[in-house]
Amino acid sequence: MTTLLIATRNAHKVGEIQAILGAQFRCLTLKEFPDAPAVIEDADTFAGNATKKAVELAKWRAGEKSTANSQQPTPNFVLADDSGLEVDALNGAPGVHSARFAALDKSENAHDTDNNTKLLRLLKEVPLEKRSARFRCVIALAPIPERNTKYASPVCFADKLEAQLFDGACEGQIRSSPRGQGGFGYDPLFVPDGFTQSFAELGEDVKNKLSHRAKALAKLKAYFNKLPT
Ligand code: IMP
């Protein structure tokens, strides 16, 4: 079985990724690795941030002592998700800044409700038919080099690490007020095309079939299914 280290501290994201990937993968999270370094997301693209998170954490794991004798399974790959909302009337904002859209200190994430309030304020004069938007997700997958490879140092080997990228988008519209209790982030404001309810109203089963994250993870699963066993 493939064991993945999911590189996020966002519990909602972890839950969605685990539910979408299913039993074919064992998912560990940063909760199980409290010593993992915090990676600064300072790239200006989703792909850049996802790659940075996956590669830095895979390098860190490669340099760590093996957990072979511990109860914990050893992850084979780091999976990092970078995602956000692009609103056409705002020229693609909040984009890569989605998590810290309303934050005064841009190195900190803001509360979801503050981000949603700011988004609604900026769109106040924009009619519903011009509120087109999409969620985007880029997943980066980086292999964690094993200690017993022929390479002398897993850390040296890790310098050459590259990530595979898988992307997904979900088109929709920003409604004029939040609705629903499910999901996270901008879900109460986002109505996917073909529906009248927000992601937060539709619930996880529906969201996990059509979301940006579901589409990116479907590509990742297809990639694994093609790998020689
Ligand atoms: P990241 O953790 O740096 O990738 O930031 C992602 C941010 O984008 C989250 O904090 C949310 O604000 C937003 N976001 C990403 N995916 C979703 C989603 O599925 N629903 C709602 N908001 C999302």
Side-chain angles (χ1 to χ4, degrees):
M1 181 187 278
T2 307
T3 303
L4 303 172
L5 168 55
I6 313 288
T8 179
R9 291 187 165 81
N10 179 331
H12 288 282
K13 259 194 200 179
V14 170
E16 286 188 9
I17 292 170
Q18 286 180 333
I20 295 166
L21 285 180
Q24 191 190 340
F25 296 88
R26 183 190 284 127
C27 297
L28 305 174
T29 73
L30 289 179
K31 254 194 178 166
E32 283 107 320
F33 297 91
D35 300 334
V39 180
I40 297 171
E41 296 180 34
D42 54 1
D44 54 11
T45 60
F46 295 119
N49 281 324
T51 303
K52 189 175 178 199
K53 283 188 271 190
V55 169
E56 284 195 18
L57 285 164
K59 281 184 184 176
W60 166 76
R61 272 303 299 168
E64 286 291 287
K65 287 203 178 72
S66 167
T67 54
N69 294 327
S70 80
Q71 304 282 42
Q72 204 170 55
T74 304
N76 317 106
F77 293 88
V78 175
L79 182 161
D81 159 308
D82 200 55
S83 47
L85 180 71
E86 292 176 350
V87 179
D88 292 328
L90 303 178
N91 297 318
V96 287
H97 305 294
S98 292
R100 29 187 204 274
F101 192 39
L104 296 176
D105 172 356
K106 293 292 179 198
S107 62
E108 300 272 320
N109 288 352
H111 287 295
D112 289 344
T113 44
D114 294 338
N115 286 334
N116 286 344
T117 303
K118 177 171 178 182
L119 182 61
L120 288 181
R121 180 165 49 75
L122 294 177
L123 292 177
K124 215 166 104 199
E125 308 298 332
V126 180
L128 273 186
E129 67 275 11
K130 295 208 167 131
R131 286 165 169 249
S132 54
R134 72 206 52 76
F135 277 122
R136 274 195 200 284
C137 170
V138 176
I139 302 265
L141 183 77
I144 301 172
E146 284 177 31
R147 289 203 141 236
N148 60 0
T149 57
K150 59 184 171 162
Y151 298 90
S153 153
V155 183
C156 278
F157 178 43
D159 284 343
K160 298 182 177 57
L161 271 185
E162 280 181 15
Q164 290 281 334
L165 298 180
F166 308 91
D167 63 352
C170 180
E171 300 286 334
Q173 226 188 16
I174 303 300
R175 62 180 317 134
S176 52
S177 59
R179 285 237 197 117
Q181 303 300 319
F184 69 100
Y186 299 92
D187 281 347
L189 293 178
F190 184 83
V191 178
D193 282 353
F195 293 81
T196 53
Q197 292 178 300
S198 73
F199 260 164
E201 290 175 294
L202 287 168
E204 65 183 56
D205 285 350
V206 177
K207 181 181 175 188
N208 287 347
K209 283 196 181 72
L210 52 106
S211 79
H212 47 314
R213 196 160 291 109
K215 289 176 184 162
L217 288 170
K219 291 179 187 171
L220 176 136
K221 278 191 185 179
Y223 167 80
F224 271 106
N225 288 339
K226 277 197 212 133
L227 285 182
T229 43

